[in-house]
Amino acid sequence: MKSLVYLHLGDNALTGSIPTSLQSLPNLEFINFGYNRLSSSIPPELSNIKTLLYLGLYSNQLTGTIPAALAMLPKLGYLHVGDNQLTGTIPKEIASLPILTFFNAFYNALTGTIPEE
């Protein structure tokens, strides 16, 4: 699967955690796990996928915080973590993503202020 570019497993009944082994897929550009039952935290190891353009983790049961490490994804343009059980603040580092054009974190339990660039 080293040549995998597009991984769309949305709208299933997947449970458990997001595999940290995804970081070993050097060409991965698109991940969508939306509309499942994933219940772990968002692994900061996803920040090792430097080719990632799209990360859709919405409508699951994810807990914990939004990892600031996601700001180390230089090509990330789409980040959707809405409709989960995320807590904490929106990391200020997210505002520094150079080409982020879509960020959605609706229906969570986030607190604090909205980061400014």
Side-chain angles (χ1 to χ4, degrees):
M1 287 195 2
K2 293 279 185 194
S3 60
L4 188 68
V5 173
Y6 189 96
L7 180 60
H8 193 318
L9 296 173
D11 205 9
N12 284 290
L14 299 174
T15 59
S17 60
I18 298 166
T20 58
S21 60
L22 291 173
Q23 69 181 319
S24 66
L25 300 174
N27 299 307
L28 199 57
E29 295 179 358
F30 183 100
I31 297 174
N32 190 343
F33 291 147
Y35 296 110
N36 278 292
R37 298 181 195 145
L38 300 172
S39 58
S40 65
S41 59
I42 300 171
E45 291 87 352
L46 293 178
S47 66
N48 294 325
I49 310 171
K50 301 302 182 193
T51 53
L52 200 60
L53 307 171
Y54 181 108
L55 182 57
L57 303 176
Y58 52 90
S59 299
N60 279 285
Q61 298 163 6
L62 297 172
T63 58
T65 60
I66 300 170
L70 294 180
M72 297 186 324
L73 294 168
K75 297 182 177 185
L76 191 66
Y78 183 101
L79 178 57
H80 193 339
V81 295
D83 194 19
N84 280 292
Q85 298 166 17
L86 299 172
T87 57
T89 61
I90 300 170
K92 66 180 190 290
E93 294 86 353
I94 295 293
S96 67
L97 280 164
I99 61 169
L100 187 68
T101 57
F102 183 94
F103 175 69
N104 192 332
F106 77 107
Y107 291 125
N108 279 293
L110 299 172
T111 58
T113 60
I114 299 170
E116 296 182 32
E117 174 147 354

